[in-house]
Amino acid sequence: MLLAMADARAVLIKLADRVHNMKTLEALPLGKQQRFAKETMEIFVPLANRLGISSWKDQLENLCFKHLNPEEHKDLSSKLTKSFDEVLITSAVDKLDRGLRDAGLSYHNLSGRHKSLYSIHNKMLKYVTRLSVCIIYGFKT
């Protein structure tokens, strides 16, 4: 709907500007940082997602997470830094490549990446919520 009302180039420029502004948010007072981050999470992250610009979406989510939940971000970031293993990703991609070739399946491109901090945080929240529901209602986990 937004694209129908405005020039697509203007929307992309506004989105790129928001990515840049989020990277330099530390210069603002804490209240403005949080307001700006909340607005970005509610408006610009879904817009980037709808436009299919996942790299900007991931950057915006991680930057918003950093400003909206600084303690969780710091804790998760330090844990991820300790467990960062590029060799693990490379070996998994190589193993998948061999398996696909052995099965005779063709593919265009194969790559691996680490999950973003915000994505890990959301997954942990969903797991805790699901676990809580199972405990409350007596389901097996």
Side-chain angles (χ1 to χ4, degrees), residues 3 10 16 40 42-43 63-64 66 68 87 109 111 113 115 122-123 129 133 135 138-139:
L3 291 175
T40 300
E42 292 172 353
I43 297 170
L63 291 165
C64 289
K66 179 181 176 181
L68 293 174
V87 174
N109 188 19
S111 64
R113 63 171 179 81
K115 286 182 73 79
N122 267 352
K123 195 170 217 174
T129 303
V133 168
I135 290 171
F139 300 133

Side-chain angles (χ1 to χ4, degrees), residues 109-124:
N109 188 19
L110 189 61
S111 64
R113 63 171 179 81
H114 287 280
K115 286 182 73 79
S116 71
L117 286 176
Y118 181 74
S119 177
I120 294 169
H121 174 72
N122 267 352
K123 195 170 217 174
M124 289 169 53

Side-chain angles (χ1 to χ4, degrees), residues 25-38:
L25 210 55
E26 282 83 16
L28 296 176
L30 184 61
K32 283 190 177 183
Q33 287 179 18
Q34 291 188 336
R35 184 172 46 87
F36 210 73
K38 187 173 185 218

